[in-house]
């Protein structure tokens, strides 16, 4: 019987992996404890064939094995459609709240006769506002296609509308990055 | 659509706090607490800044 493995301790999280080769049967043990040493310990055991190439790791806390491009897809979906990144991760309430909030901010911004910025190389603030607007993803594209929003500020409260649209875009970027962090496991839950 | 300045503050604070609460905390209970904290800071900060501007003018 051959035994090999390692244990690491990083930021209050104890992780380890042990390989046991017993009579040609490879046993792969992966464990981690949250808030060690008092947190609950999770262990996962997998009995594998004698061919190490067929070994499949089961990590704990268990996460569904996703393809490597899945977090990127979550990021892009979250950017294009507000809340879609969280919905892809089955975070229904969070995704719904994010979608409702950003859609409401964008819609109120348009209703207040806010300005939709187009690509420009003029004033620095105009460029930054365009970058913020771009964060709305498909909402921005639709607004440009249907020529929504005002070209210039005409009433006093329209400036509020402009800011609502820009901030909606920035919040959408934050949400998409948060969904990406959830997909990669960088954020716990 | 017309909206008062204070109404705009409340709406802005509400939607922003919801997103901040969800994205900046992991535990649902902490999300609610942080969202409420952000909302109070947004609204309270705006009211405080308004009074400061009023005092500067007068």
């Amino acid at each position: 019987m051959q035994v090999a493995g390692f244990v690491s301790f990083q930021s209050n999280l104890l992780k380890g992996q042990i390989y046991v080769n017993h009579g040609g049967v490879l046993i792969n043990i992966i464990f981690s404890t949250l808030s060690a040493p008092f947190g609950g310990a999770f262990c996962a055991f997998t009995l594998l064939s004698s061919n190490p190439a067929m070994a499949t790791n089961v990590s704990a806390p268990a996460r569904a094995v996703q393809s490597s491009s899945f977090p990127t897809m979550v990021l892009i979906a979250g950017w294009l459609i507000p809340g879609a990144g969280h919905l892809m991760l089955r975070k229904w309430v969070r995704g719904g709240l994010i979608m409702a909030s950003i859609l409401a901010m964008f819609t109120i911004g348009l209703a207040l006769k806010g300005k939709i910025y187009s690509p420009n190389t003029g004033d620095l603030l105009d460029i930054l506002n365009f970058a913020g607007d771009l964060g709305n993803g498909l909402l921005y594209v639709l607004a440009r296609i249907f020529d929504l929003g005002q070209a210039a500020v005409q009433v006093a409260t329209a400036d509020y509308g402009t800011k609502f649209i820009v901030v909606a875009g920035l919040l959408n970027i934050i949400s998409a990055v948060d969904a990406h962090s959830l997909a990669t496991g960088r954020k716990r839950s | 659509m017309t909206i008062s300045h204070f109404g705009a503050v409340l709406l802005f604070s509400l939607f922003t706090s919801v997103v901040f609460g969800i994205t900046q905390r992991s535990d649902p209970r902490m999300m609610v607490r942080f969202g409420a904290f952000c909302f109070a800071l947004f609204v309270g900060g705006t009211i405080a800044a308004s009074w400061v501007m009023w005092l500067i003018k007068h």
Side-chain angles (χ1 to χ4, degrees), chain A residues 17-114:
Chain A
Q17 190 162 3
I18 300 171
Y19 300 98
V20 179
N21 189 350
H22 181 65
V25 177
L26 181 65
I27 303 171
N28 184 10
I29 304 169
I30 303 172
F31 65 92
S32 68
T33 61
L34 295 174
S35 304
F38 301 109
F42 300 92
C43 293
F45 298 85
T46 51
L47 286 173
L48 306 169
S49 70
S50 57
N51 181 3
M54 294 176 67
T56 304
N57 290 340
V58 178
S59 63
R63 279 202 307 270
V65 177
Q66 308 281 4
S67 65
S68 60
S69 62
F70 183 71
T72 309
M73 288 167 57
V74 166
L75 179 69
I76 294 173
W79 168 56
L80 291 176
I81 303 170
H86 287 80
L87 294 178
M88 284 177 71
L89 296 170
R90 300 179 185 278
K91 305 277 186 189
W92 307 114
V93 177
R94 297 186 204 182
L97 283 171
I98 288 171
M99 182 179 283
S101 298
I102 292 174
L103 276 176
M105 280 197 84
F106 189 83
T107 308
I108 291 171
L110 288 179
L112 289 173
K113 302 185 190 307

Side-chain angles (χ1 to χ4, degrees), chain A residues 2-13:
Chain A
Q2 293 175 321
V3 179
F6 68 89
V7 174
S8 66
F9 185 75
Q10 291 178 336
S11 63
N12 219 23
L13 184 67

Side-chain angles (χ1 to χ4, degrees), chain A residues 75-151:
Chain A
L75 179 69
I76 294 173
W79 168 56
L80 291 176
I81 303 170
H86 287 80
L87 294 178
M88 284 177 71
L89 296 170
R90 300 179 185 278
K91 305 277 186 189
W92 307 114
V93 177
R94 297 186 204 182
L97 283 171
I98 288 171
M99 182 179 283
S101 298
I102 292 174
L103 276 176
M105 280 197 84
F106 189 83
T107 308
I108 291 171
L110 288 179
L112 289 173
K113 302 185 190 307
K115 179 181 177 181
I116 294 283
Y117 286 85
S118 53
N120 64 85
T121 56
D123 187 15
L124 178 62
L125 285 178
D126 286 347
I127 298 171
L128 291 175
N129 281 322
F130 165 68
D133 279 2
L134 207 56
N136 286 297
L138 287 180
L139 290 176
Y140 175 77
V141 176
L142 290 174
R144 289 296 304 277
I145 289 174
F146 294 106
D147 201 22
L148 301 174
Q150 305 296 314

Side-chain angles (χ1 to χ4, degrees), chain A residues 94 101 112 160 178 187, chain B residues 3 5 18 22-23 25 31:
Chain A
R94 297 186 204 182
S101 298
L112 289 173
Y160 290 164
D178 182 63
K187 186 179 179 185
Chain B
I3 191 171
H5 293 226
V18 167
I22 290 172
T23 57
R25 292 292 183 270
M31 289 180 184

